[in-house]
Amino acid sequence: MTQRLAITRRTTLEGLTASVAIAAMPASARSTGPSVFRHGVASGDPDATSVVLWTRVSVPGPVEVEWELAGDTGFTQIVQRGKLLTGPDRDFTVKVLAEGLEPGGRYFYRFKAGGEASPEGRTRTLPIGKVDRLGIALVSCSNFAFGFFNAYDAIARDPAIDFVLHTGDYIYEYGAEGWGAETALKLDRVHQPANEIVSLSDYRTRHAQYKTDAGSQAMLGVMPLLACWDDHESANNPWTGGAQNHQSEKEGDWAARRAASIQAYFEWMPVREPGPGRTRMQFWRTWVFGDLATLSTLETRHTARAQQIDYEPYRTSITSFADVAVLERGVIGAEGRAMLAPELEADLSAAWTRSKQAGQHWRLIGNPMPIARTRVPDLVGLGILPDPAQQAKPLTAARDLAWKGKWNLPFYPDTWDGYEWARERLYAQARAAGVNDLVFLTGDSHSFWVNRLADASGRSTGIELGTAGVTSPGDFIDSGFDPLTTRKLDAALAEHNPEVMWTDTLHQGYVRLVLTPTAGSASFLAVSTITSMHYRTRLISQWRLTPGTDSMALDRI
């Protein structure tokens, strides 16, 4: 039941300028202890006149939950209120689509149940018309076991941010003894349930645990979430027919596990239900920010993806660069190795066409995994790594990197580098829509990136900004390399690859992207620690983006 009341105060975003008063009050949206609303509140997936409001109630049985949306923090100017029955069929989550709102409006919301009121949440709708400024925080890869979500807390306190884009790996599926177990024990952040999550109950429990993090509650309570998923929301490296981290003989039917993960995701995240003719698995979005920007997200795991390439079978068969060419042309670059569903491709083309016709300045892509061409240089020849053949017990990662570098192979064959046909198809789509200035906002790799993108013929297609993990460690440090070697590896990747301008795998944090009609700035912000909730935030790199006719200028500040 929803009751709409007259709007008594028009609340608008003036160019989406972030308010210090809003962003600096995360405690108001944080659950302070065991209560009915111990998982906090959240909002997300907005358009110009509506937004999703979310919470979860911890009660023994079905209950009617009241919700209120107001134009002021004192809730004297009620815009809408209603009631919703929740229970075990939806894991006691509450998800409301508040409609009929003002474009560019700021709102306050709360829930009531069991004699308690929830923390107060704050949200906003998308603007229409002229927009002078937009601030987006880019985050990815938040693994509960590895530490506190301090990057989320920093975003909640960042006055430059209007919306949060999470490009996936919002949760991780591993069990208590899996990746990050040693750190989790020290920090009392051991994954629940203890087993690798497979069933609907498992996925619900894991989502619930992640929603207890204080930084998560702070951010979600004051910033609307724009989300897409990657792989760990279900299992590592899924494709349309299975997943690398799914063993059917032990874990049952993949389709059933995938369905359970998607159901829990839609229950526990502030995202809209699919529209007519679409399914939950077709989870992609387009958000329009007035005359300034369009942001489209990609679904790259469940609706079209071909099985990723595993290098292992080729390690002994590759003995020459001619063999490498056969692998790259006939396997990695094979025609038809898809990444995006036809329906998604059509939606992207339509969004880009509308954006160009509207004269928008920016076309952003929420991209779950790196798209820049990134090959491994000869790290042994460069003297960065010793020859594994001459070591008694070389690091597994050193042996792997040395082999890839010997043959100049793509670093990650499970990213867009392993889907050359699909990448070129996407770039050709953009060209057909008159677009050569896409800004890919990327997660997955646990590394910061600044990349300049081009198609196979060298024509500019845009740029890529990649974020480090919220807590997930960079690959080099996680593989056992020391910080000095890690810095050398970062530098070698940037030097070797024409598309890579800068990368950093040492830190955790987020990217702050601020756009205006004439320029943009990308700030790469690292948190000083994730093993304590007492942290500092440090700017480690900053870049200026300037749109142009033929390409986008990208300069370090």
Side-chain angles (χ1 to χ4, degrees), residues 238-279:
W239 54 290
T240 53
Q244 179 276 330
N245 194 28
H246 180 78
Q247 291 72 46
S248 297
E249 65 277 8
K250 297 180 180 178
E251 296 166 332
D253 178 59
W254 165 246
R257 180 179 183 180
R258 181 178 61 193
S261 71
I262 291 173
Q263 179 176 335
Y265 186 92
F266 271 80
E267 289 171 345
W268 278 87
M269 298 292 284
V271 298
R272 295 169 188 259
E273 293 298 320
R278 293 291 172 91
T279 68

Side-chain angles (χ1 to χ4, degrees), residues 300-384:
T300 62
R301 293 294 178 175
H302 302 307
T303 51
R305 184 187 182 99
Q307 187 172 8
Q308 55 272 357
I309 301 300
D310 185 352
Y311 280 141
E312 199 58 38
Y314 303 96
R315 290 185 185 274
T316 55
S317 62
I318 290 179
T319 59
S320 69
F321 281 102
D323 294 334
V324 172
V326 171
L327 170 64
E328 295 208 38
R329 285 197 306 267
V331 181
I332 294 176
E335 183 174 350
R337 278 182 50 75
M339 180 74 79
L340 306 181
E343 298 89 344
L344 171 52
E345 292 177 333
D347 287 351
L348 288 172
S349 292
W352 294 335
T353 299
R354 290 192 301 268
S355 176
K356 292 288 287 186
Q357 291 174 346
Q360 286 186 319
H361 305 275
W362 302 94
R363 282 154 288 279
L364 316 175
I365 300 293
N367 179 40
M369 60 194 177
I371 196 167
R373 290 175 172 83
T374 310
R375 294 178 178 272
V376 180
D378 182 1
L379 297 168
V380 175
L382 290 171
I384 297 174

Side-chain angles (χ1 to χ4, degrees), residues 495-516:
E495 177 69 23
H496 183 67
N497 291 284
E499 294 193 9
V500 179
M501 308 281 287
W502 171 79
T503 185
D504 173 277
T505 62
L506 276 169
H507 297 93
Q508 285 76 47
Y510 68 102
V511 179
R512 178 205 294 142
L513 177 65
V514 177
L515 303 176
T516 70

Side-chain angles (χ1 to χ4, degrees), residues 42 88 171-172 177 220 224 265 283 296 370 407 409 452-453:
I171 65 167
Y172 281 74
E177 297 181 355
L220 293 175
Y265 186 92
F283 180 52
S296 299
W407 301 114
L409 286 166
R452 193 189 303 278
L453 306 175

